[in-house]
């Protein structure tokens, strides 16, 4: 059992924790976690400052960030390995310099795709570097950071941890859970722990059918991860119960409709990724009112 999971177990079994969630794990006592997926990306262009600002304003607990790396080694917030989908240009990030990335417009696509949500100020928005994000939001935000395409960028993990250390967001003096690192790549997550074992890790899982998990798979996850994330349509009550009973946390992605949020909450998830943190916040508030 890793060090951080030990902290979670403490939260589970302390006698004063007698709420209905007493049998559940939590992050530093936080329940019902609201993760702004690429920021409040249902309201503003994903992975831009306005999207992150809205995520916080709409009561998102965490800003979710996907990482790619430029040819000259800068970590940037971008979901895709290419610039094609959100810039109108073509190319692989790994072949482009930061200067070339900074010349792109990452906002106009949103105005064209969602005219009812379009804003003049979205036009010309820049793709942010992780350094810029930490500089602007680091002192008063929590981050759920995903190492994307780690095979393409073998230096990504070390650069990420160096930057988090530089901004004093990880390390002994920090509250565990202010930065959580997630990945579909278990190798990438294990690499993170080889550098700093104190960082809580979430293993993202791909399913193409209703999710199932064996005791052996759970045991393997418990060696390094504090929890898992999976597409919400693959989740089901038996699967969620089995994971929760093991002490691992569960964060389905990407949940945008209130009915789905309510259902997953009833099934016992610990939080979820959403493009609409405002909707999820309302669902959480309605749950509290019903208690
Ligand atoms: O990180 C959770 C979720 O974002 C994984 O899917 O493709 O949106 O990064 P994706
Ligand atoms: Ca992601």
């Amino acid at each position: 059992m890793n060090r951080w999971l030990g902290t979670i177990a403490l939260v589970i079994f302390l006698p004063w924790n007698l709420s209905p969630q007493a049998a559940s794990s939590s992050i530093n006592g936080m329940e019902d976690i609201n993760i702004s997926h690429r920021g409040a990306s249902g309201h503003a262009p994903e992975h831009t400052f306005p999207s992150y600002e809205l995520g916080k304003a709409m009561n998102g607990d965490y800003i979710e960030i996907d990482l790619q790396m430029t040819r000259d080694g800068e970590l940037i917030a971008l979901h895709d390995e290419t610039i094609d989908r959100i810039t109108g240009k073509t190319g692989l990030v790994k072949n482009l310099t930061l200067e070339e990335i900074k010349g792109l417009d990452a906002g106009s696509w949103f105005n064209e795709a969602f005219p009812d949500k379009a804003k003049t100020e979205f036009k010309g928005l820049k793709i942010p570097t992780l350094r810029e994000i930490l500089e602007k939001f680091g002192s008063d935000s929590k981050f759920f950071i995903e190492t994307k395409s780690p095979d393409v960028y073998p230096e990504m993990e070390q650069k990420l941890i160096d930057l988090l250390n530089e901004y004093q967001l990880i390390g002994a003096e920090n509250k565990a859970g202010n930065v959580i690192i997630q990945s579909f790549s278990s190798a990438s997550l294990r690499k993170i722990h080889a550098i700093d074992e104190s960082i809580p890790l979430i293993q993202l899982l791909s399913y193409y059918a209703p999710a199932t998990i064996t005791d052996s798979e759970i045991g393997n996850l418990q060696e390094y991860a504090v929890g898992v994330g999976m597409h919400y349509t693959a989740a089901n009550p038996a699967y969620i119960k089995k994971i929760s009973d093991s002490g691992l946390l569960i964060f389905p992605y990407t949940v945008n409709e209130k009915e789905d949020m309510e259902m997953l909450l009833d099934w016992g998830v610990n939080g979820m990724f959403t493009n609409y943190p405002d909707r999820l916040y309302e669902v959480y508030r309605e749950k509290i009112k019903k208690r």
Side-chain angles (χ1 to χ4, degrees), residues 43-64:
H43 298 282
E46 65 187 58
H47 289 316
T48 61
F49 277 7
S51 183
Y52 297 149
E53 276 159 1
L54 271 177
K56 286 174 65 78
M58 292 176 168
N59 296 293
D61 298 307
Y62 282 84
I63 298 173
E64 196 251 354

Side-chain angles (χ1 to χ4, degrees), residues 37-38 64 66 79 146 148 182 184 204 253-254 273:
H37 184 247
R38 312 180 198 177
E64 196 251 354
D66 298 306
H79 178 270
E146 181 177 352
K148 282 279 185 208
Q182 42 157 352
F184 285 99
L204 300 174
Y253 60 85
T254 301
F273 298 81

Side-chain angles (χ1 to χ4, degrees), residues 74-114:
E74 191 76 28
L75 294 177
I76 60 169
L78 190 68
H79 178 270
D80 304 352
E81 261 182 66
T82 73
I83 58 169
D84 305 12
R85 180 174 57 86
I86 64 155
T87 69
K89 309 281 184 194
T90 58
L92 287 162
V93 175
K94 68 172 185 180
N95 293 335
L96 298 167
T97 63
L98 180 60
E99 190 179 353
E100 288 166 325
I101 291 286
K102 284 296 185 183
L104 301 168
D105 173 353
S108 292
W109 74 274
F110 184 90
N111 287 350
E112 285 155 29
F114 306 104

